[in-house]
Amino acid sequence: MAIPACLSLAATLAFSAPAHAAEQGYDPAIAAALDRVADGSWTDADIQLIQGVPEVGQAVPDPRDEGTVSEVKIDTSPNIYPPENAPGTYQQAAAATTRCKDLTVSIDKKDFFGSRIYRFNTRTEWCYNGSKVTGIYRKDGWISNNTWGIYFRSWSIDSSSTRPDGSAYHDKRANLDYCVAYYGCYTQTHPYVYLKMYKTGGYEHRRYAG
């Protein structure tokens, strides 16, 4: 279902469409298929219909794609951590046993033809000493490689904290609008990464591509 924040974009998208899209114009059958993609009731016939109009299929994230996850992890030097107010600089940590990690988690979402339509990223830096997570020093999130029609609106959740059991978490969730020329913004989705960090240096994450 389209959201009010999207409605103001519809006219802009109609005038900013690629030249080939102008030849297609508005098709009520495509509009109905987009509605079913948005609410999860799509069928194979909807997939085929949207793929039959490349200008639409290249602008719509494929609901069959669960996302491709990748990680970049760095074990930083012992006894140092990056302070929040000075990214990229370092100072001594209090405990000699402290170790730190720098983890980037990325999720690629594809269009109806298998090409990447956007990437959702989080980056977290934290330190631990075997007894507890001593601090979380970077809590970033961003969208990259997005094509026109994919609009970041805000963070629906942007939260992190240490816990009494010595663990910690970082929860980053975005509000993304999906928009198509001539059809406006037909839905909003909420990709996220929820990272749990353990006092021993281990971690795990849940994620959703959108």
Side-chain angles (χ1 to χ4, degrees):
M1 180 179 67
I3 63 171
C6 295
L7 297 179
S8 62
L9 286 175
T12 301
L13 287 168
F15 287 105
S16 61
H20 293 299
E23 299 172 4
Q24 299 293 335
Y26 180 90
D27 182 342
I30 293 289
L34 289 173
D35 285 342
R36 289 189 289 273
V37 167
D39 67 20
S41 63
W42 56 270
T43 65
D44 289 341
D46 294 323
I47 301 296
Q48 294 171 7
L49 181 63
I50 291 172
Q51 286 177 328
V53 184
E55 291 78 9
V56 176
Q58 292 168 357
V60 176
D62 190 338
R64 300 167 299 179
D65 176 36
E66 296 182 355
T68 302
V69 181
S70 59
E71 291 185 5
V72 176
K73 179 176 69 70
I74 301 172
D75 293 310
T76 59
S77 300
N79 310 323
I80 58 175
Y81 68 90
E84 287 182 275
N85 60 352
T89 64
Y90 297 87
Q91 59 183 326
Q92 292 293 321
T97 57
T98 298
R99 300 291 184 269
C100 303
K101 292 185 185 294
D102 178 345
L103 177 69
T104 299
V105 180
S106 300
I107 312 173
D108 287 347
K109 185 70 174 178
K110 297 177 181 178
D111 66 18
F112 272 61
F113 300 101
S115 297
R116 183 171 60 199
I117 198 166
Y118 68 83
R119 172 176 285 178
F120 177 74
N121 311 272
T122 63
R123 183 177 177 185
T124 313
E125 294 184 31
W126 73 97
C127 295
Y128 58 95
N129 61 14
S131 298
K132 63 180 181 179
V133 173
T134 58
I136 308 169
Y137 303 105
R138 186 189 294 270
K139 300 161 283 189
D140 294 341
W142 67 99
I143 306 296
S144 60
N145 304 106
N146 51 307
T147 62
W148 70 276
I150 305 298
Y151 294 93
F152 171 77
R153 289 302 181 194
S154 61
W155 295 109
S156 59
I157 298 178
D158 186 3
S159 177
S160 62
S161 182
T162 55
R163 295 187 180 279
D165 64 1
S167 66
Y169 76 92
H170 179 203
D171 189 358
K172 203 84 167 180
R173 304 179 186 224
N175 295 321
L176 289 187
D177 288 351
Y178 288 173
C179 309
V180 181
Y182 294 99
Y183 300 94
C185 297
Y186 63 94
T187 193
Q188 186 175 91
T189 191
H190 310 282
Y192 71 84
V193 171
Y194 180 94
L195 174 67
K196 186 171 183 179
M197 298 153 274
Y198 295 100
K199 58 188 178 183
T200 56
Y203 62 88
E204 59 182 337
H205 49 75
R206 303 193 304 270
R207 62 268 175 188
Y208 172 63

